Amino acid sequence: GNSVTQMEGPVTLSEEAFLTINCTYTATGYPSLFWYVQYPGEGLQLLLKATKADDKGSNKGFEATYRKETTSFHLEKGSVQVSDSAVYFCALISAGGTSYGKLTFGQGTILTVHP
Amino acid sequence: DTEVTQTPKHLVMGMTNKKSLKCEQHMGHRAMYWYKQKAKKPPELMFVYSYEKLSINESVPSRFSPECPNSSLLNLHLHALQPEDSALYLCASSHYGTQETQYFGPGTRLLVL
């Protein structure tokens, strides 16, 4: 079956530091890959996505590149802000197999950014 | 506009109560989802509706009863819940329910006493 593995958190950074959250996956076929962000007390917001190999998703200074050879989709940001403090979920949807159309999430990474 | 709305925002209910959660989207999406999220965990899929028909039920207990009255609305009827059902309930929608992006609502935070 499909699975997503995220780096364990929590991650604590100072403002303006560089952020990397690792995400690797196992899936049948050619999945679409997503990063969702959940701010305290809120639902999930789509942060970025990529639908095929070598695609780069980007939004609000965050980037992630779909690497099929390493089955990875690491999230990066060059300079984090206090307002980026949230939980980040890596996720995939597979195009085939028994998981068709279902979002598979990683466990989530809690990010805290201090001033 | 990628907005999914959910009501109520918060709900407290006793184990003998009957209540309903409501979800609405006006993006023309034909697939809608219910997820349950416990604290510090990722969302867990409960139900999927595709073209107003239930297509996936992830072995959810019958005290949760979904309903899709039309392509824009999704309800979750709750009856005889247990305290362990306390969680954030999230609704999502996508174009056709295959490999497209799912857009989430803000959720209903449910507390069962």
Side-chain angles (χ1 to χ4, degrees):
Chain A
N2 296 339
S3 67
V4 176
T5 303
Q6 283 181 239
M7 68 183 281
E8 300 227 356
V11 174
T12 302
L13 295 172
S14 297
E15 208 165 24
E16 299 184 4
F18 184 84
L19 169 70
T20 298
I21 301 177
N22 289 340
C23 172
T24 56
Y25 67 89
T26 303
T28 53
Y30 298 92
S32 293
L33 302 176
F34 306 88
W35 278 100
Y36 284 91
V37 59
Q38 188 171 33
Y39 298 101
E42 298 187 11
L44 271 69
Q45 296 179 26
L46 176 69
L47 183 58
L48 52 84
K49 67 176 183 181
T51 57
K52 59 184 188 297
D54 300 325
D55 265 3
K56 178 186 280 190
S58 61
N59 186 26
K60 299 180 182 179
F62 291 90
E63 291 183 342
T65 301
Y66 190 143
R67 300 285 189 204
K68 189 157 177 63
E69 64 276 10
T70 54
T71 63
S72 65
F73 193 54
H74 305 320
L75 183 68
E76 296 183 337
K77 186 176 186 183
S79 176
V80 293
Q81 306 299 312
V82 171
S83 56
D84 294 327
S85 298
V87 182
Y88 292 81
F89 291 99
C90 184
L92 68 83
I93 293 180
S94 178
T98 57
S99 301
Y100 184 71
K102 294 183 189 179
L103 258 178
T104 300
F105 287 95
Q107 285 304 301
T109 301
I110 300 172
L111 170 66
T112 303
V113 180
H114 293 296
Chain B
D1 184 11
T2 56
E3 187 176 29
V4 176
T5 59
Q6 289 187 245
T7 55
K9 192 170 176 61
H10 299 277
L11 180 61
V12 180
M13 61 186 290
M15 290 189 283
T16 59
N17 290 159
K18 285 185 182 181
K19 297 286 185 183
S20 296
L21 310 185
K22 180 180 172 182
C23 173
E24 196 164 2
Q25 57 88 14
H26 293 288
M27 296 178 278
H29 290 173
R30 302 312 299 269
M32 297 185 77
Y33 311 76
W34 280 116
Y35 288 85
K36 174 183 178 179
Q37 186 181 25
K38 301 286 272 185
K40 301 187 189 301
K41 296 290 187 183
E44 298 173 2
L45 183 64
M46 301 173 72
F47 303 103
V48 180
Y49 273 83
S50 178
Y51 289 85
E52 293 126 68
K53 286 187 169 43
L54 184 65
S55 60
I56 296 176
N57 176 343
E58 292 287 274
S59 303
V60 179
S62 59
R63 58 186 184 269
F64 295 91
S65 176
E67 178 196 19
C68 189
N70 60 57
S71 60
S72 302
L73 277 176
L74 185 66
N75 298 320
L76 186 63
H77 303 298
L78 315 173
H79 174 54
L81 294 193
Q82 304 297 310
E84 59 264 30
D85 296 322
S86 298
L88 182 67
Y89 288 84
L90 294 163
C91 174
S93 70
S94 68
H95 279 294
Y96 302 114
T98 54
Q99 212 174 352
E100 320 89 15
T101 304
Q102 291 183 24
Y103 295 93
F104 285 80
T108 293
R109 193 161 297 279
L110 174 66
L111 177 62
V112 182
L113 300 177

